Amino acid sequence: MSQYVNLTRFGRLARKHLSEHATGYALGAAVLLGGLLVLLGFLTYIQHWPMSESMQAALFMLCLLGAGSLFTSTVLAQFGAGRQAALALTLPASQLEKFLLAWLLSLPVFLVVFVADFYLADWLVMHLVSPRPGPLLPLLDGHEVPGLRLFLTLHGLALFGSIFFPRLAFVKTAFVVLGMAVLVGVLNFKVLNAWLGGSLGMAVPFGAAGVQGFGPLVLPEAQERWLVGLPLALAVLLWAAAYARLTEKQL
């Protein structure tokens, strides 16, 4: 059999994993549904009006980013240290197959479960809590594309953090990401402000910059389109780094 990927071996690995964690995943999906019901129901109740599509879209992305990052930060935790890591590393499957299983569960499978939970909660709130039925958030109409690019980047960060930090991966990864974001933002402002002679009003990394007396400065449309692929490229690099880190794990 291939030392990297064999479908029969991968299927056995997936069946073993699901047989051991199916109950936990089902409970997690139920907790997610309950949390969404409470959040959407509370916001609808206090405003006495159905949620607008823009509000639903904002809640969809915020909950997706939060819940997705939290779940992803746990999928490779079994390879951290101790007896659990020894059992995980000695399973008769390749490291690539173990990584692919974690990637599939934390990205496409999680997305399907989250979307199902969110729209079920949204429908129940709109018909049971709202004073009158409101329109549900349209799916795949383009509003979620920028957020999904950000989700892919955060998924890569959380996946790398789950194998890099043996304990409290979510908390430690969040601190590192926030620290890096602040550092990049400050350095970006300092460099651009010095370059423009102190006339910079505001600046967003990889985005527009406001110059006093001139208004916003933006990249040409042709160059700006290249930045669209930046989150995906960063996500791919982080996935590769997480896999490389996994291959380094030894008993």
Side-chain angles (χ1 to χ4, degrees):
M1 293 191 294
S2 171
Q3 62 176 326
Y4 295 109
V5 177
N6 178 273
L7 293 181
T8 301
R9 187 174 58 202
F10 180 76
R12 291 172 180 169
L13 176 67
R15 286 194 297 270
K16 180 182 184 302
H17 181 85
L18 292 177
S19 66
E20 295 175 350
H21 298 88
T23 302
Y25 289 151
L27 289 174
V31 170
L32 175 62
L33 176 60
L36 290 171
L37 281 171
V38 171
L39 176 61
L40 299 180
F42 176 74
L43 292 176
T44 301
Y45 177 77
I46 62 175
Q47 69 178 6
H48 304 291
W49 197 256
M51 289 182 294
S52 64
E53 290 186 7
S54 60
M55 186 176 184
Q56 293 177 62
L59 290 172
F60 178 90
M61 291 314 309
L62 287 174
C63 293
L64 174 63
L65 296 177
S69 298
L70 180 60
F71 175 67
T72 304
S73 66
T74 67
V75 292
L76 292 177
Q78 59 183 321
F79 299 99
R83 181 174 178 272
Q84 188 180 26
L87 293 174
L89 290 170
T90 54
L91 282 175
S94 69
Q95 301 293 67
L96 180 57
E97 289 166 339
K98 297 171 185 177
F99 176 81
L100 285 176
L101 179 61
W103 187 89
L104 289 171
L105 289 173
S106 60
L107 190 57
V109 173
F110 174 82
L111 279 174
V112 171
V113 173
F114 178 85
V115 170
D117 272 0
F118 183 88
Y119 276 88
L120 176 57
D122 201 18
W123 185 87
L124 289 172
V125 168
M126 287 295 184
H127 288 79
L128 299 180
V129 180
S130 177
R132 65 178 179 82
L136 295 180
L137 177 67
L139 184 62
L140 299 178
D141 66 344
H143 70 272
E144 70 280 359
V145 172
L148 287 178
R149 290 197 293 264
L150 177 59
F151 172 71
L152 290 177
T153 303
L154 290 181
H155 175 271
L157 288 166
L159 192 63
F160 181 74
S162 71
I163 189 65
F164 188 82
F165 298 111
R167 299 286 187 273
L168 300 175
F170 178 75
V171 176
K172 293 178 180 178
T173 303
F175 271 112
V176 171
V177 171
L178 289 175
M180 291 177 61
V182 171
L183 180 61
V184 170
V186 171
L187 289 177
N188 178 73
F189 181 86
K190 293 292 186 182
V191 171
L192 288 180
N193 192 44
W195 182 48
L196 295 173
S199 60
L200 183 66
M202 57 83 66
V204 178
F206 308 108
V211 182
Q212 299 173 6
F214 292 93
L217 295 178
V218 296
L219 289 172
E221 184 178 353
Q223 297 181 17
E224 191 173 4
R225 282 198 294 264
W226 284 95
L227 293 179
V228 174
L230 184 62
L232 179 57
L234 182 57
V236 172
L237 290 175
L238 289 166
W239 294 336
Y243 171 66
R245 181 72 177 180
L246 178 59
T247 59
E248 295 175 355
K249 291 289 183 178
Q250 297 179 359
L251 295 178

